[in-house]
Amino acid sequence: MLRDHLGIETVLDGCSPQGQCGCCTVLVDDAPRVACVTPARRVAGRHVTTAAGLSAAEQQRWSDAFLACGATQCGFCTPGIVCRFVGHERRGADLSDRTTVDKALAAHLCRCTGWQTIREAAAHAAAPPSPDATERDPDAAARRASIETGGPQRSVAASVLGGFDFGADAAPPSTLTAIAGPDGNWHTAESLTEARRRAGKVQGRRTTLEPSPPIEIPEPPPGTQWAVQLATCWTEPAYLETDAAWCEPGGNPSDPLANGGAFGGKTTSPVRDEARQLAADLDQPVRVLWSREDTVRRGPKRPPLAAGLSTNGTGIVRIARTPGAADVLRSVLPHAEVVEVDTPGPPTSMNLRAAVWAEAQMLAAALSRLQAGELLEATTAAVEVRSPEGATASATVSPDGIELHIDAGDPLDEVTLRSYVIGASHMAWSWVTSEALSVDANGEIQDLTIRSFGIARSADTPHIDVTIKPSQQPPVQAGNAVFAAVAAATWLSRGAPAQLPTS
Ligand code: FES
Ligand code: FES
């Protein structure tokens, strides 16, 4: 109702009607409510407040806090989180207390920031420190953000409060919404609800099928054992803004990457072409909107692999056939035989964050530890990697948390770089410890809800300590190096088990 009938696009939709991402959170008489599963009849006669409807003082304080802490990146999750925090605050909650904030965040998903800077923003808003004497340069911050995401990204007050136009937003009122039905055909209507009804769309479900690696670890030579084994599952990039674009007949489609790179997941998204074609066919503006289920089914995943290696680096790595994957493996593991296999499942892509290169770095880190005469059983592990982009990340993972030292050339804006480093660390730690998609033997994805991907919650995420090296060198992207170093150190700190996620 808010988006379709009242045209309030500051309320965002990351999974409706699953009610699991929190992006659509509003206040109903000061109580945070997930709008997409709240029937309008239940709020008759009550006040509904969106982030854009908060008081001017609340808007200022919360956007200041999120921007000061680097707590928003793509901004798709942010207005819902701000609404929830304000709701708790109005009821007297202490938002400087981590447990309170973790509980509040349990109803949300943020894929970009890794939670920590959001917790810091909550504490900042609860007790704003005296104004920082250090002036930040918003253009430098935007430049660092764009280097990290591979596309334009700005963190401004508008993105904290939902005023930023995403791929589905700002279409003219006559725009039809197009939904792909289970039959693969497009179904259009004036509202999302009606288009879904016409499409007969049943929204995603969760399964009891346990995720498991789709490729078997190769047998070692007779009478021997591999020194290092690793098999990975299908994993979902889980960017919050599902693929969406709108187009007028003969016009240019809106950008599904309006404020962020989706970690490489939308690089080849077909929604712009789909919107352009449908607008031409129907001679009317059309908005193509993927549901969460569509994004999971159609969006690319990291290519799963299964490896068995001897201490000297010889052995076999099997990888789901993906253009470019074998070359990356051979560049990091030159003594291993790389075998591409066809395995039924969702599409794969090397565009996703450090895809395959991070997995290869994990194996290389285990080998170098063994070659140095060390055991793989450890509770603390340190790994340093240098990315092809030229960034260096040193990660130490221990029961106390994650410690990172980063050299990414000129930081440009430390707050922004730190935010991306923490986000990439969380994504790596979460991937190694808890993320996987259930895909059946026919390659059909069975986990279609955003909560089923296993993304680590705020409460479960260790503290991440970041030190950034000052530098006058040209700025380079840090995220891939951070992802690989943290993934490798996390895996080694758990004894390098043969299968991800490690639990
Ligand atoms: S869109 Fe409502 S919870 Fe995700
Ligand atoms: S900033 Fe939270 S999902 Fe992007």
Side-chain angles (χ1 to χ4, degrees), residues 71-78 81 109-113 118 240:
T72 185
Q73 292 181 19
C74 77
F76 205 78
C77 67
T78 317
I81 291 174
L109 279 173
C110 173
R111 188 54 160 167
C112 302
T113 65
I118 296 178
L240 263 279

Side-chain angles (χ1 to χ4, degrees), residues 1 39 79 109 112 124 133 143 170 185 188 205 208 239 268 280-281 286 301 303 310 335 379-380 392 447 468 486:
M1 169 170 269
L109 279 173
C112 302
H124 187 292
R143 203 169 142 220
N185 293 327
T188 55
R205 59 193 181 275
T208 50
Y239 44 86
T268 56
D281 291 349
V286 175
K301 320 295 170 221
S310 301
H335 305 300
T379 51
T380 297
T392 303
D447 271 343
I468 294 170
V486 173

Side-chain angles (χ1 to χ4, degrees), residues 172 246-252 275-286:
W246 62 269
C247 190
E248 295 192 87
N252 272 328
R276 187 188 279 118
Q277 187 64 50
L278 283 164
D281 291 349
L282 299 170
D283 197 25
Q284 197 172 339
V286 175

